[in-house]
Every structure is written in structure tokens, then in C-alpha cells.
Amino acid sequence: MQEKLRRFKLSNIKNMFPRFLGRLIVVAWVLFTIIVIGWIFIASLSTTKEIFTNKLLHSGLQFKNYIKTFQLYNVGRYFLNSTIYTVTACIGVIFVAAPASYIMAKYVFKGKNVVRLAYASAMGIPAAMIMVPMFMLAGKLHMTESILTLIFIYIFTSVPFTIFYLTGFFTTIPNDIQQAALIDGCSHIKAFWKVIFPLAQPGIVTVTMFNFIGIWNEYLWALIFASKAEKRTLAIGLQSIVQSMSVTGDYASLFAGVIIVFLPTFILFIILSNKIMTGITGGSVKG
């Protein structure tokens, strides 16, 4: 009896150890992230001298760092550009990918497996592989410095993942809902936009948040197609601030710029966290 009890305790310990180790790693990573972001935030409210002498906030809160970043380094313009690119692209992605995802989830047609394989394969194509052809195509169309070029690139490079994600989410919506809408006189298009699309809101919000983070922080495409100062994104603008550090040494303004880049995605995640979690769990039921 004692031997069985001992084996039972040992088996419980073995089962609990991986879970404990996993939780410990997550807690350690969260604490590390909070400390790093907290230090950057405090540094953005200090002077450059205080940063290098490890006397943060010694002279009080330096909100002028943020004012200087907007005025001297033109971050306000970069922020507006990033907002235009990101919001327009996210809306365009949903407009293209949501109907396609629903068709892939609910309809049977010839070549469906080929289409599924095509967009699944597209997710694995690195940006560097299509960068030169895209630049040559934009050059022939005289659109290398057009805002629309970068927006279109963001849309169509985000569509494969969005279709992949939303297809699994639309699969969880019962077919009876669409049938009821069709019986009530809706067309297939109207039934989707008026009935099905609102029901998919958690999944739409979740995948839009993923796309927003990816586009907001994107650097390489913006470097090629938005190189002019008046069309730069925040990521490119932040890089220009980093390059100017060799001349100005204004690291306090640099950290202020980092916070400005980070803050929008952080605020959106906090506001939409419940819907994001609902969308993640909902889309994982069937896939």
C-alpha cells in the first residue's frame, strides 16, 4: 500500500513539473518584458545625461522629449502616414479576405483544394523573393512613390494569412443561419454582409489586430516604396532618429519615439483583448 502511494506521489510530481516549468517561463518572460518597457518609458521622460548616469527622472518628468520628437523629428507626419497605411490596408484586407474565407469554408467547387494550396503556399513566400519583381512592376506603372502602391502591397501580402485564419472561424458558424437568411429573401451576398459577417466579429477583430501589428511595425516594404520624407512610416522615421543619434546624441527623444511607435498597438490590444481571446478560441474549434 505504501509503495502504491509513493508511486502515485511520484507520478503526480512528474505531471506537475512540466506545467510548473511552463508557467515559470511565462511569468519570467512577462516580468522581463514589463521591466524593459517600463525602463524605456521612464527613460523617455528623463534627460540624456540622466540616462547615462543612471539617475532617471532626477530632474523631473521631461515631457518636452515627446514635444521635441513630434516637432524636430517630424514624428507627427510619420504617425499620420502609418495610420493611413495601416487602417486603409486593414480595411482592404477584410473586404477581400472575408468573403473569400466564407466561400472556402461553406461552398464546394472545382479547384477548391488548388485554391487552398495556393494561399497556404503564399504564406511561405518570403518578401525578399517578390521585392524586385514588385519594384519593377511599380516602376513600369510609374507608381514607385505612390501611397496606393504600399497600401496594395500590405493588403495582398496579408490576404493569405487572413483567409487561412478566417476560414477556420467561418467553419464554426452553423449553415442554418445562412439558409434562414436566404429563405427570408436575402441574396447570397446580402446574407453574408448582413447576417454572417456580424457574427464573425470576434474573428474579424482578432485577425485585424494581427494585421495591424504586422503592418504598423513593417519596415522593408516601407523603406522601398515610401523613402521620401513626406511619405515615411513611423518605422522608417524611427530609423532616421537612430541615425541622427551619431550627431545629436539625443537618446531621450529616441526613447520617446519608441514609446510613440509602441503605444497604439498596446492600447488597441488592451481595449480589444476580450474579443481577441474569443476570436482565437473560436477559430480553433474547427479548422
Side-chain angles (χ1 to χ4, degrees):
M1 186 64 184
Q2 291 181 350
E3 182 65 20
K4 290 182 178 180
L5 183 62
R6 188 179 67 83
R7 290 180 180 178
F8 178 74
K9 290 181 178 179
L10 286 175
S11 64
N12 282 341
I13 292 173
K14 289 180 180 180
N15 292 332
M16 290 174 62
F17 181 74
R19 288 183 293 177
F20 172 78
L21 182 61
R23 291 174 182 175
L24 183 63
I25 293 173
V26 171
V27 170
W29 176 253
V30 170
L31 289 175
F32 173 77
T33 304
I34 291 174
I35 291 171
V36 171
I37 295 175
W39 188 92
I40 293 174
F41 179 70
I42 294 173
S44 71
L45 294 172
S46 305
T47 64
T48 300
K49 182 179 179 180
E50 289 171 347
I51 293 173
F52 283 97
T53 57
N54 200 23
K55 296 179 180 179
L56 300 179
L57 301 179
H58 184 72
S59 60
L61 300 176
Q62 302 294 325
F63 290 104
K64 64 181 182 181
N65 293 334
Y66 288 88
I67 298 174
K68 187 191 299 184
T69 302
F70 274 98
Q71 293 180 347
L72 184 61
Y73 297 107
N74 205 21
V75 169
R77 179 63 186 179
Y78 303 151
F79 189 93
L80 179 62
N81 290 342
S82 287
T83 302
I84 293 172
Y85 292 138
T86 305
V87 173
T88 306
C90 285
I91 294 173
V93 169
I94 295 302
F95 185 78
V96 172
S101 304
Y102 188 69
I103 291 172
M104 293 298 297
K106 296 297 184 181
Y107 291 87
V108 178
F109 56 90
K110 290 184 178 180
K112 181 177 179 178
N113 290 333
V114 176
V115 174
R116 181 184 289 113
L117 179 63
Y119 71 72
S121 300
M123 290 190 295
I125 298 176
M129 186 178 293
I130 61 174
M131 200 162 288
V132 174
M134 286 296 298
F135 185 80
M136 293 177 65
L137 178 61
K140 290 181 179 180
L141 296 174
H142 305 288
M143 294 180 64
T144 52
E145 289 295 337
S146 172
I147 293 177
L148 291 177
T149 302
L150 192 56
I151 292 175
F152 284 143
I153 288 173
Y154 285 154
I155 289 174
F156 294 114
T157 54
S158 301
V159 161
F161 168 74
T162 306
I163 293 177
F164 176 80
Y165 181 88
L166 289 181
T167 299
F169 193 88
F170 280 125
T171 305
T172 65
I173 298 177
N175 294 329
D176 295 342
I177 296 177
Q178 183 191 23
Q179 295 300 324
L182 295 175
I183 292 172
D184 287 340
C186 290
S187 64
H188 286 273
I189 296 175
K190 188 176 181 180
F192 172 75
W193 289 111
K194 295 291 185 180
V195 179
I196 304 300
F197 188 79
L199 293 176
Q201 187 183 45
I204 299 294
V205 170
T206 302
V207 77
T208 300
M209 186 66 194
F210 291 153
N211 289 332
F212 185 95
I213 293 173
I215 297 171
W216 184 265
N217 296 317
E218 197 280 324
Y219 178 81
L220 203 54
W221 287 115
L223 181 64
I224 295 173
F225 291 101
S227 57
K228 290 186 177 179
E230 66 272 14
K231 296 179 181 178
R232 287 176 181 171
T233 63
L234 264 179
I236 304 300
L238 187 63
Q239 175 62 25
S240 66
I241 297 176
V242 172
Q243 291 175 347
S244 70
M245 290 302 102
S246 59
V247 179
T248 63
D250 189 5
Y251 287 89
S253 295
L254 172 63
F255 289 125
V258 172
I259 294 297
I260 292 171
V261 173
F262 162 76
L263 207 56
T265 54
F266 177 73
I267 293 174
L268 276 178
F269 183 83
I270 294 298
I271 295 174
L272 303 174
S273 58
N274 289 334
K275 289 186 178 181
I276 290 172
M277 294 307 299
T278 302
I280 292 174
T281 55
S284 65
V285 175
K286 294 181 182 180

